[in-house]
Amino acid sequence: MEEKKILREQLFKNAFSTFITFTILVIIFNVVIYKRAESLLYEEIDEELKSLADNETALVINPRSIYIVRDTEGNIINQNSLGRLYDDYLDLIEFDKSNLNNIYTLKVNDEYNYRGITTMAYNVKTEEVVYIQLLTNVDGEIQTLHNLKTRLFGMSLMIITTSMIISYFLSRKTLAPILENYKKQTEFVQNAAHELRTPLTIIQAKQQLLLQEPESKIIDKSEDINLTINETRRLGKLVKELMLLATADANKLKLQKEPVDIDKFLKEITDPYVEYARLQEKTLSLDLNCNKTINISPNKISQLIIILLDNAIKYTAEGEEIKVSSFHKDGKCVIEISDTGIGIGDEQKKHIFERFYRADKARSRETGGTGLGLSIAQTIVKLHGGSIKVSDNTPKGTKFTIRI
Ligand code: ADP
């Protein structure tokens, strides 16, 4: 529930920041395009206006232009030569005699758009100063710019919406594993706390019981004392295992690797277990044929083998067999630890490398299991760049295959 809320909040934040970023970018992009289009459209007209202002003879060339001559009061003095076409709105054309030789835009009657320029001239005939106002109709250009604006707006909306959708899905994709890790870490801490609390509660209860009977002899209470010792041992093991996993998680576990003759090394580790298994009326046999020297951390690999051997012995009944074998395949050393024990169901196989997973919690606790052994084994193998797999042994039991 908590993760979903965090995911939702984060997705919303990401989508929002993408929206802001893209909106700003798109606005800048649109303004640049619009301004560029506007200047391109007006460039020719403005140049023409300037050249018309400089050279009156060119006037006849552009039918979109109006040539207005005004007296110093602003009254139009060439109305007759302009024709009836402009009669309706000639008086509505703004005129500002202080703005000379600059290009400006005019709207006439709220309907027609013009680019214009005003110059001052001297009428030789009347010996008077006149103002020449040259206007070129730009309704077509304005319509083109308006169309461009509408298209740019539509395109921007599409880009922003698409980017928000893409950002939402990309964020989901990148956030999911982070949240999954977060969830795993939270679970790990909760499980660790729970696992640590159980032996502590037992130790505390047993010690209180002992205090209630101060007169009794140690021999009478040996069972309780033994239990306390076992739980303390269990606590110690758990703390050690948790420390190893936490250091590996933080990428702080440094392996002291060295070249090791793997068969010799496996024999040294398993030898004490041959006797240990025999005492429990189980058989432990070796078949070591890797014949290779590989670069490993002897400390960690022996921890890995011990975890698997321990399990094989733990989950095997009297009279059954455990086998440690090694061979060489595709340039890698393969180590197999198999047993004819109780075996692991297919559904359970999917989870056994998870932290604190125990197929049979009660039984595993009885045998001193914490549910961390196989996840530590997997961590060690991964640190060596290898792989570990579980499969069914034939005719029965379990087989762990390690490739390094
Ligand atoms: P534990 O400390 O409980 O043994 P592990 O991580 O070592 O925890 O193992 C996880 C679970 O996998 C065990 O609880 C057990 O159910 C199962 N398991 C591991 N090894 C074997 C095996 N050789 N045979 C049968 N079950 C096994």
Side-chain angles (χ1 to χ4, degrees), residues 146-163:
H146 178 75
N147 290 348
L148 178 73
K149 210 192 264 177
T150 320
R151 287 208 183 133
L152 282 177
F153 183 73
M155 228 170 63
S156 308
L157 264 186
M158 236 171 65
I159 293 175
I160 293 171
T161 322
T162 319
S163 65

Side-chain angles (χ1 to χ4, degrees), residues 113-152:
N113 298 281
Y114 289 94
R115 288 290 269 186
I117 192 165
T118 308
T119 54
M120 206 165 72
Y122 186 70
N123 190 334
V124 202
K125 268 191 233 160
T126 58
E127 295 183 353
E128 273 174 0
V129 170
V130 289
Y131 292 97
I132 297 161
Q133 189 177 18
L134 279 165
L135 298 172
T136 298
N137 187 288
V138 286
D139 286 344
E141 282 76 3
I142 296 265
Q143 188 55 44
T144 310
L145 283 174
H146 178 75
N147 290 348
L148 178 73
K149 210 192 264 177
T150 320
R151 287 208 183 133
L152 282 177

Side-chain angles (χ1 to χ4, degrees), residues 38-49 52 58-68 82 85-86 89-90 93 104-106 108 112-117 133-145:
E38 194 179 37
S39 78
L40 275 175
L41 276 177
Y42 288 150
E43 200 169 34
E44 214 178 306
I45 294 168
D46 292 353
E47 264 170 29
E48 203 178 52
L49 274 175
L52 285 171
L59 274 178
V60 272
I61 298 167
N62 192 342
R64 286 202 291 166
S65 298
I66 319 175
Y67 173 73
I68 304 170
L82 287 173
L85 199 65
Y86 306 109
Y89 64 94
L90 264 183
I93 296 174
Y104 50 85
T105 308
L106 263 187
V108 181
Y112 307 107
N113 298 281
Y114 289 94
R115 288 290 269 186
I117 192 165
Q133 189 177 18
L134 279 165
L135 298 172
T136 298
N137 187 288
V138 286
D139 286 344
E141 282 76 3
I142 296 265
Q143 188 55 44
T144 310
L145 283 174

Side-chain angles (χ1 to χ4, degrees), residues 365-400:
R365 193 167 201 292
E366 247 172 54
T367 49
T370 56
L372 289 176
L374 288 180
S375 38
I376 290 179
Q378 194 181 44
T379 304
I380 293 173
V381 175
K382 274 189 187 160
L383 283 170
H384 281 84
S387 68
I388 180 165
K389 282 201 181 89
V390 62
S391 56
D392 290 330
N393 186 33
T394 34
K396 70 182 187 82
T398 313
K399 180 161 83 181
F400 283 95

